[in-house]
Amino acid sequence: MDTGDQAQRHRSRMQRKKAVVDATIAAADRDQGLLLVLTGNGKGKSSSAFGMVARALGHGMRVGVAQFIKGRNDTGEEGFFRKQPGVDWHVLGEGFTWETQNLARDIETAQRGWAVVREMLGDPSLGLVVLDELTYPLKYGWLELDTVLADLKARPSMQHVVITGRGAPEGLCEAADTLTALRDSKHAYRAGVRAQKGIDL
Ligand code: ATP
Ligand code: MG
């Protein structure tokens, strides 16, 4: 085995690869407020969004969070982030539609909630806005997609927005700069494990 030859081949392959990577990095030279959509049935949408909240706070940015579906009020992220300076935390939704069982009230709650979001989307001091589980009020028709898209478009040019939730509507996916669909390959819940602190809540 000629290891000198092998090492040389590796070196030239890595040089070619570095040239490609460097060119790609050099080509992405703009700054812009991004719209991220995290959807799909797999676990990791909200926790990814809150990971970005931590990142933004670490950079001294101010962050707005709106939660549209209030399944529980004992999540670790709420307990932690609400206490942090620079976080503007709003719970705008109630339970799921099969919990509230009142369409008129669901619509009113969602619309009131969106008015709060609109203020955040008009506030250039917020570097990041997370709209957690926004896909549900859209899916159930409590909020108009066109209104939501127009307000997102009108936000400050350097403000990032992260939207989470299953079943993101097509128009929202099209508007996204970064779109991630998480796939559910396996979930411990189906093997009978209930939601675990630090992992699921
Ligand atoms: P997480 O908040 O853990 O990132 P998520 O935001 O991707 O999850 P949601 O649809 O908002 O997922 O559901 C929130 C809760 O449901 C979490 O406890 C999560 O672990 C659990 N969950 C997520 N995906 C699944 C799944 N495919 N099957 C069962 N439970 C799930
Ligand atoms: Mg979620």
Side-chain angles (χ1 to χ4, degrees), residues 47-127:
S47 42
S48 168
F50 293 121
M52 286 180 262
V53 172
R55 283 185 169 171
L57 292 174
H59 287 291
M61 292 159 72
R62 290 192 57 233
V63 178
V65 177
Q67 289 194 297
F68 276 88
I69 297 291
K70 196 55 203 162
R72 50 199 314 158
N73 56 8
D74 58 349
T75 62
E77 57 267 25
E78 183 169 359
F80 180 77
F81 285 118
R82 257 192 196 278
K83 285 188 227 143
Q84 305 302 313
V87 177
D88 197 4
W89 191 286
H90 299 272
V91 177
L92 304 174
E94 298 185 319
F96 278 100
T97 188
W98 55 86
E99 302 282 356
T100 62
Q101 302 177 5
N102 183 333
L103 180 63
R105 198 175 90 189
D106 287 339
I107 291 175
E108 203 189 292
T109 306
Q111 305 268 340
R112 253 202 328 266
W114 190 255
V116 174
V117 171
R118 194 177 267 150
E119 291 211 356
M120 294 201 282
L121 295 177
D123 180 353
S125 79
L126 292 176

Side-chain angles (χ1 to χ4, degrees), residues 5 12 23 41 54 63 68 71 81 83-84 121 124 140 153 161 169 190 193:
D5 211 37
S12 22
N41 294 334
V63 178
F68 276 88
F81 285 118
K83 285 188 227 143
Q84 305 302 313
L121 295 177
Y140 299 133
K153 209 168 176 180
V161 176
R190 288 196 294 283
V193 185

Side-chain angles (χ1 to χ4, degrees), residues 46 132-133 164:
S46 297
D132 191 33
E133 322 295 352
T164 81

Side-chain angles (χ1 to χ4, degrees), residues 63-66 117 120-121 126-131 159-163:
V63 178
V65 177
V117 171
M120 294 201 282
L121 295 177
L126 292 176
L128 171 65
V129 174
V130 172
L131 307 176
Q159 185 182 71
H160 304 300
V161 176
V162 180
I163 295 175

